Amino acid sequence: MAAKARSAITNAVITELKKIDGGGDYSVDLANNVTNKLIFWDEVNDFPFVSVVPGSETREYHPGGFKWGHLGINIRCYVHGEEPLDELEKVLYEIETQLDADQSITYDTGKTTEQITVLSIATDEGLLAPYGVGEITCEIRYQVT
């Protein structure tokens, strides 16, 4: 059952990130460039691009058979431009803002996550210019059934 939740939660995060479509308050457009596959920067042709993959997972056990799942999610972002760090900062900001907007995302026919915590944000610090690579690592808490 946990494997199903892992992929369902990952796909729900992708759905949330696809809402970053360049319209309204968004300054970047990710709508068609978010995938659940691990992609490396040299495989990307259309920027900005985001890869969302599940990481490690832990359990927290409570009385009565209740347990929390803590699923790590890695969100890798790729940009290309004259100022890749500036572009990367925009993308990372939009993603973090979207994740903070609603801690309860729906997955697997009506189940919802309880909390999304950003654990770290890292960039390549300009090493790959004119490309830029950044990563957000977050933890998503959900009830394991």
Side-chain angles (χ1 to χ4, degrees):
M1 189 64 86
K4 184 177 179 182
R6 289 170 57 85
S7 60
I9 291 170
T10 301
N11 289 332
V13 170
I14 290 168
T15 299
E16 286 297 309
L17 297 184
K18 284 184 175 184
K19 292 178 182 176
I20 303 171
D21 62 1
D25 294 332
Y26 300 115
S27 63
V28 296
D29 183 1
L30 301 178
N32 295 316
N33 289 336
V34 184
T35 185
N36 63 352
K37 296 182 179 24
L38 185 59
I39 303 290
F40 295 98
W41 67 273
D42 59 341
E43 300 173 278
V44 178
N45 297 316
D46 191 17
F47 298 91
F49 191 88
V50 175
S51 173
V52 181
V53 293
S56 62
E57 187 170 1
T58 60
R59 297 281 187 268
E60 182 181 333
Y61 296 92
H62 294 273
F66 182 86
K67 57 186 168 181
W68 289 116
H70 298 269
L71 175 62
I73 296 283
N74 297 311
I75 303 169
R76 189 167 292 160
C77 311
Y78 304 98
V79 298
H80 183 270
E82 288 184 27
E83 297 293 334
L85 285 179
D86 291 342
E87 293 298 315
L88 198 52
E89 287 297 324
K90 287 183 209 174
V91 173
L92 294 171
Y93 174 79
E94 297 286 357
I95 290 172
E96 184 179 12
T97 301
Q98 187 66 33
L99 293 175
D100 285 344
D102 190 359
Q103 296 288 307
S104 297
I105 55 176
T106 302
Y107 69 98
D108 195 23
T109 337
K111 296 178 183 174
T112 59
T113 61
E114 293 296 320
Q115 183 178 5
I116 301 173
T117 305
V118 172
L119 301 175
S120 67
I121 300 173
T123 70
D124 69 340
E125 300 298 332
L127 285 173
L128 299 173
Y131 297 93
V133 180
E135 186 169 73
I136 295 176
T137 303
C138 58
E139 180 181 87
I140 298 179
R141 183 173 63 147
Y142 71 99
Q143 183 179 348
V144 178
T145 54

